[in-house]
Amino acid sequence: MKPFTVSRRGLLTGALGIGALGALSGCSARTFFGGQDAGLRFWDLYAGGDGVNMQQMLDGYRAAHPQVSLEAVTLQWGEPYYTKLAMAGAGGRASDVAALHLARLGAYAPAGLLDPFDDELLAEVGIREEDFPAELWRRSHSGDRLFAIPFDTHPFVLYYNLDVCREAGLLDANDELRALEGPEAILDAFTAAQEITGVHGLAMETLGPDCITPWRLWYTLYRQLEGELLTPDNQASAIDDDKALEALDFMQQMTHSGGAAREMDINGSVAIFGNGQAGFHMNGEWELATFQETGVPFGMARIPKIFDTDVAQADSHVFVLPHQLDRSDREQQRNAYEFIAYLLRDSLQWAASGHLPAYQPVATSDEFLSMRPQSLYSSVAEDVQIDPPVWFGGSASRLWISFGSAFSSVLTGRATPREGLDEAKSALQNLLDTPDPTR
């Protein structure tokens, strides 16, 4: 996926005019941007297993609100989605509601690509600050205005094969993974699982185009060491070399100890765990549905406390209001807010795909707490580490891909931890030196 490099001015005056946008989307410009007669329009990027659940939720909304014509469009995940969202917001004729990754808010809200939420309308539809985790609600602001409504958190988690881990003596009396704490305990568990499978202890993405798992693992470990990526004003690097290298040293030990595969792309890692050839798998929790379909006996847990603190890398899906030239139609806007409120209240269905509901009346309900394996890792929602709010951060971002590439070489043995860190620091400085293309 190509990095987003189009400026707002370029969006409005460059070669990609309205006709080109229609060609990009495979539809007419009016349908792509929407018009006054298009009803309620929603854009999302849920093309995986969670997309099936979202379609069921949208069907439920349509059944409950037959008076509202809902037009829902799923666009291509990653930079293609975010580029189209930015172009539409810059033109002021975007969808009524859209999905966004919270870590991307720092690029979109300050650039005027989103509209802030109206406090009165939020109150009318029952969306209240106290119903969301405090940190997610705080991160949903830009300046003193609310620009996002948290929908979920999707953390980096640990999958484990029940049969393999049971035979290796890694499960407790409830058939759940025993508490693993510290580098040695983790490495020993991977080695023990490898001895059972005879193939792999841990199957994890270590290489491939746009490889991002190395970033997600490193940021988890680095934040467990309480390392900071940027200065408080997000203007300069604050990487602590000692902490960064401690995390990278452990990552290289994982693949050099024999317990984890050195060279494996994302599809291979999912397939290997799904067919029972690995005892463990590290990934986002969204692969839950994939492994349920394969029939592999598995459980899930939050990433263990390998270092000082019990945290994990994550992002959050949020609802936003892409910028429109005119949001004066109160009834139309109320429909948009009620649509968001409906999906929040129905987010138990969303949790079926592995995501952790941000809406606390659902997240703390008996129905959610009885869900397995979701409730086994749900406590991590209080400890997730989201990227700093910078234009180059967030899912499928330049930050992820640049650091992922640098640390991929460490996992595969093509670079030392020092070399990998130097490459990552150079990439970070280049990003900091690059003018924000959304401004």
Side-chain angles (χ1 to χ4, degrees):
M1 286 171 267
K2 299 294 184 185
F4 172 50
T5 58
V6 184
S7 69
R8 289 192 72 209
R9 180 173 296 177
L11 291 171
L12 295 172
T13 63
L16 286 177
I18 290 178
L21 288 173
L24 278 174
S25 65
C27 57
S28 70
R30 188 199 66 79
T31 302
F32 184 84
F33 286 122
Q36 290 301 314
D37 59 345
L40 183 65
R41 299 172 303 280
F42 174 54
W43 286 1
D44 71 62
L45 68 174
Y46 306 126
D50 53 8
V52 175
N53 287 328
M54 175 53 66
Q55 291 306 312
Q56 293 174 349
M57 296 171 72
L58 296 178
D59 287 344
Y61 171 83
R62 292 185 177 101
H65 299 81
Q67 75 283 7
V68 179
S69 175
L70 173 64
E71 177 188 303
V73 178
T74 299
L75 300 171
Q76 185 179 347
W77 192 90
E79 280 308 324
Y81 176 81
Y82 283 112
T83 300
K84 288 183 180 182
L85 185 63
M87 288 191 291
R93 300 183 63 191
S95 61
D96 298 292
V97 181
L100 189 87
H101 285 96
L102 182 56
R104 290 267 185 165
L105 192 68
Y108 282 73
L113 301 175
L114 305 176
D115 292 330
F117 280 90
D118 181 287
D119 292 340
E120 290 185 6
L121 277 175
L122 287 175
E124 287 179 20
V125 301
I127 296 178
R128 310 177 305 167
E129 176 181 353
E130 54 265 36
D131 288 332
F132 299 87
E135 179 61 11
L136 290 186
W137 192 261
R138 183 189 71 80
R139 284 292 303 265
S140 296
H141 286 73
S142 180
D144 61 354
R145 302 297 302 275
L146 181 71
F147 282 89
I149 303 297
F151 190 30
D152 66 30
T153 53
H154 41 282
F156 194 50
V157 298
L158 181 67
Y159 297 82
Y160 55 94
N161 183 301
L162 290 170
D163 289 345
V164 172
C165 289
R166 187 182 301 111
E167 188 172 348
L170 297 173
L171 301 185
D172 62 19
N174 296 318
D175 228 21
E176 297 171 5
L177 189 67
R178 287 193 290 105
L180 301 173
E181 188 168 325
E184 290 187 10
I186 307 304
L187 295 176
D188 287 347
F190 295 158
T191 300
Q194 190 276 332
E195 292 173 354
I196 299 301
T197 66
V199 188
H200 302 291
L202 169 70
M204 178 187 69
E205 177 192 31
T206 63
L207 51 72
D210 297 343
C211 180
I212 60 174
T213 298
W215 150 259
R216 304 189 75 201
L217 175 58
W218 177 81
Y219 197 56
T220 293
L221 298 172
Y222 184 60
R223 291 298 295 144
Q224 286 194 358
L225 290 162
E226 300 184 348
E228 297 290 344
L229 189 69
L230 299 174
T231 53
D233 62 2
N234 297 313
Q235 298 301 306
S237 171
I239 291 179
D240 183 313
D241 280 19
D242 290 340
K243 293 177 179 179
L245 288 171
E246 186 173 355
L248 287 169
D249 284 339
F250 175 75
M251 288 169 62
Q252 195 164 78
Q253 288 180 57
M254 289 171 58
T255 54
H256 284 51
S257 66
R262 282 198 192 190
E263 299 193 0
M264 188 171 288
D265 65 15
I266 184 62
N267 292 330
S269 70
V270 171
I272 289 293
F273 183 80
N275 66 24
Q277 291 183 292
F280 294 94
H281 176 67
M282 287 183 175
N283 205 335
E285 32 63 49
W286 51 78
E287 295 294 349
L288 183 152
T290 301
F291 297 135
Q292 286 176 332
E293 290 179 6
T294 68
V296 65
F298 75 99
M300 296 169 67
R302 54 190 295 168
I303 296 293
K305 183 181 178 182
I306 299 171
F307 293 122
D308 299 339
T309 57
D310 199 8
V311 300
Q313 186 277 339
D315 207 336
S316 169
H317 292 120
V318 297
F319 296 110
V320 294
L321 306 175
H323 176 58
Q324 294 183 348
L325 294 177
D326 183 10
R327 283 189 177 270
S328 62
D329 186 331
R330 193 73 172 177
E331 187 59 30
Q332 177 75 358
Q333 295 314 303
R334 183 182 176 85
N335 286 340
Y337 284 56
E338 287 182 337
F339 171 70
I340 295 172
Y342 177 90
L343 294 182
L344 291 173
R345 292 191 295 268
D346 194 38
S347 55
L348 189 68
Q349 173 70 31
W350 190 237
S353 57
H355 303 315
L356 301 177
Y359 187 57
Q360 292 304 288
V362 172
T364 60
S365 67
D366 291 340
E367 291 84 357
F368 174 73
L369 296 176
S370 66
M371 295 180 77
R372 293 289 187 276
Q374 290 90 330
S375 61
L376 300 180
Y377 58 88
S378 61
S379 62
V380 76
E382 299 297 326
D383 303 307
V384 294
Q385 302 299 303
I386 300 175
D387 298 6
V390 290
W391 70 264
F392 51 81
S395 293
S397 65
R398 290 191 187 186
L399 176 67
W400 286 32
I401 293 170
S402 297
F403 274 60
S405 175
F407 299 153
S408 168
S409 298
V410 176
L411 288 167
T412 61
R414 291 182 171 86
T416 65
R418 178 75 261 177
E419 290 169 339
L421 179 59
D422 287 346
E423 181 182 340
K425 290 175 67 176
S426 176
L428 178 60
Q429 191 57 53
N430 285 338
L431 291 170
L432 288 166
D433 292 340
T434 301
D436 183 345
T438 64
R439 303 299 180 88

